[in-house]
Amino acid sequence: MVIAKARAVDGPDKPFRAAEIQRRDLDSHDVLIEIHYAGICHSDIHTAHGEWGPVNYPLVPGHEIAGVVAAVGPEVTKYQIGDRVGVGCMVDSCGACENCQKGEEQYCLKGNIPTYAGVDKYGEPTQGGYSTHIVVTEGFVVRIPDSIPLDAAAPLLCAGITTYSPLKHWNAGPGKKVAVVGMGGLGHMAVKIAHAMEAEVTVLSQSLSKKEDSLEFGAVNHYATKDPATFQQLAGYFDLIINTVSAPIDLNAYLSLLTLDGTLVNVGAPPEPLAVNVFSLIGHRRSFAGSLIGGIRETQEMLNFCAEHNIAPKIEVISADEIDEAYKRVLASDVKYRFVIDISTM
Ligand SMILES: [Zn+2]
Ligand SMILES: [Zn+2]
C-alpha cells in the first residue's frame, strides 16, 4: 500500500488542507502512477462545494491527472515503469454492458466509477488527483504522447476530451460553422480543437475582453453576448453550438442562432434546471443535446490528435497551497485558461 500526500476538503465551505490517503495494493491489472500535475476543473469546485449532491468528506478532487508509471501489477500489458500517462474523469466501469463494449465507458449502464467522490469495486471511496499517487486499472489509463509536456497534458484529460468528443460526434469539420459559448478551460480547448478539425469557429463570450485570445486560438470571430445585436446578427448561422458554461444561460436566445438541423450541445453542467421553449426547436428542426466526457479509446485518440496538431491548453501552474485562491479565481472567470497544480509542491 502506498500512502499518498494529498490536499483534501472537509466540507462545502472548508478550505483545502494537507492530508494523507491510502492507495490500494496493486491488483493484477493495476498501475501505480506518480502524479506530476493535476488540472483544476470546474467540476472539482461544484463537487467540493456539494453543489451536485451530497459528498462524503473528506474529499480529494482532481480528474485531470498527468504523471509517470511507478509500478505495475503482474498482469499489466499496456504500460511499463517510466511511461508518461494520464487519467481522466473515470477509473473503472462494468466492462460488460452494451455501452462499455462499444468503448463508451462514460455511459456505462451500471454507472462508471468517477475518479473522485465515487466508490470503487472494493467498496472504498475514490480520491482524485490532488495527490502524489493514484492506483488505476490499466484499461482506464491513457498514454501521453512525448511531444505534450505533462503540465499541459493534464487539462486534456477532462477539458480536452469533453470538447473533442461532441465536436467529433456532431461532425465539426470543413464547411461547418461552430460556435463555442464561454471562453474558459473547456471553451478555449473547444476553439483549438474545432479549428484543428478545420471547422469555422466563432466564440460567444460575455464581453470582448478575450477576443485577441480567441483569434490566436483559431477562431475567426468573437462576439460579446451582453450585446443584444450579437443575437440578431448571428440568427440562424451555426451548425453546432458547444455550450461550455456551467451557469444558467438564456438557451432560447442561443438556440435561435442555429441553422436548419443545427444542434446545441451542453458540456458545462449548471446545477439548476434550464428552460427550453419548444418553439425554439421545432421551427428549424433543431436539437438540444448533451455530452459527457468521452470513452477511453476516444480519449487516447484525442491525445494523439492534439499531439499531431500541436494543440495544448494555455495553463497557469500553481502550488498546492494556492488551490483555494485558484477556486475563487475560476469562479470569477479570472483564469487563462486552466490552473494546473504542480504536485511536487505537495
Ligand atoms: Zn472535469
Ligand atoms: Zn458498463
Side-chain angles (χ1 to χ4, degrees):
M1 183 181 302
V2 170
I3 305 292
K5 286 196 278 180
R7 292 298 161 114
V9 273
D10 295 314
D13 310 313
K14 296 289 193 299
F16 277 89
R17 63 170 170 87
E20 287 190 337
I21 53 175
Q22 296 180 349
R23 297 301 193 183
R24 66 174 182 260
D25 287 329
L26 297 187
D27 212 338
S28 52
H29 285 280
D30 280 343
V31 172
L32 172 69
I33 300 166
E34 182 187 282
I35 301 175
H36 289 204
Y37 294 96
I40 292 180
C41 174
H42 213 131
S43 306
D44 300 353
I45 302 176
H46 283 303
T47 307
H49 292 171
E51 290 164 1
W52 281 349
V55 175
N56 285 322
Y57 298 99
L59 170 77
V60 177
H63 62 202
E64 295 184 336
I65 298 169
V68 171
V69 173
V72 293
E75 288 172 48
V76 168
T77 57
K78 277 174 75 182
Y79 298 103
Q80 295 179 344
I81 292 174
D83 284 353
R84 303 164 85 249
V85 293
V87 175
C89 304
M90 52 187 174
V91 287
D92 214 343
S93 72
C94 86
C97 75
E98 193 183 329
N99 294 350
C100 285
Q101 291 285 315
K102 278 192 271 196
E104 303 269 25
E105 300 90 351
Q106 73 279 31
Y107 303 122
C108 174
L109 295 174
K110 295 192 173 156
N112 72 65
I113 295 173
T115 304
Y116 60 82
V119 176
D120 68 19
K121 65 182 170 202
Y122 308 93
E124 298 294 326
T126 58
Q127 300 285 15
Y130 299 3
S131 62
T132 54
H133 297 81
I134 191 168
V135 173
V136 181
T137 189
E138 63 175 328
F140 283 75
V141 176
V142 288
R143 191 175 294 279
I144 296 175
D146 287 339
S147 64
I148 308 178
L150 288 181
D151 53 358
L156 296 176
L157 278 309
C158 174
I161 186 61
T162 298
T163 50
Y164 179 90
S165 184
L167 286 166
K168 188 93 195 285
H169 183 80
W170 276 279
N171 305 309
K176 288 286 170 76
K177 293 170 178 143
V178 175
V180 174
V181 183
M183 256 281 279
L186 290 172
H188 94 294
M189 281 315 302
V191 174
K192 288 181 175 218
I193 293 171
H195 174 64
M197 289 175 173
E198 299 177 36
E200 179 197 294
V201 189
T202 299
V203 172
L204 304 176
S205 181
Q206 283 179 301
S207 73
L208 295 176
S209 66
K210 293 172 178 168
K211 182 166 183 176
E212 258 179 56
D213 288 348
S214 294
L215 302 183
E216 184 197 318
F217 298 154
V220 294
N221 266 312
H222 176 120
Y223 291 89
T225 55
K226 66 182 179 193
D227 180 359
T230 293
F231 290 89
Q232 285 157 15
Q233 201 175 339
L234 297 173
Y237 187 76
F238 297 107
D239 299 293
L240 179 63
I241 300 176
I242 306 281
N243 177 23
T244 70
V245 176
S246 42
I249 61 168
D250 179 359
L251 284 175
N252 300 300
Y254 287 87
L255 287 167
S256 75
L257 305 184
L258 290 171
T259 184
L260 178 66
D261 289 326
T263 302
L264 188 158
V265 187
N266 284 276
V267 293
E272 309 84 354
L274 303 173
V276 175
N277 182 335
V278 172
F279 286 100
S280 304
L281 301 172
I282 60 179
H284 292 80
R285 199 165 53 196
R286 293 163 174 146
S287 300
F288 177 55
S291 177
L292 177 70
I293 49 175
I296 298 300
R297 190 172 56 219
E298 192 173 43
T299 304
Q300 187 64 61
E301 177 187 303
M302 174 277 306
L303 287 166
N304 299 346
F305 178 90
C306 288
E308 191 184 319
H309 294 269
N310 222 347
I311 299 174
K314 188 163 181 170
I315 58 171
E316 189 174 327
V317 177
I318 62 165
S319 74
D321 290 334
E322 296 173 299
I323 299 172
D324 291 309
E325 179 60 26
Y327 272 30
K328 283 184 200 139
R329 286 184 51 197
V330 171
L331 292 173
S333 301
D334 175 24
V335 51
K336 288 188 172 177
Y337 279 86
R338 202 63 148 180
F339 287 114
V340 173
I341 307 163
D342 178 352
I343 300 298
S344 72
T345 61
M346 203 143 271

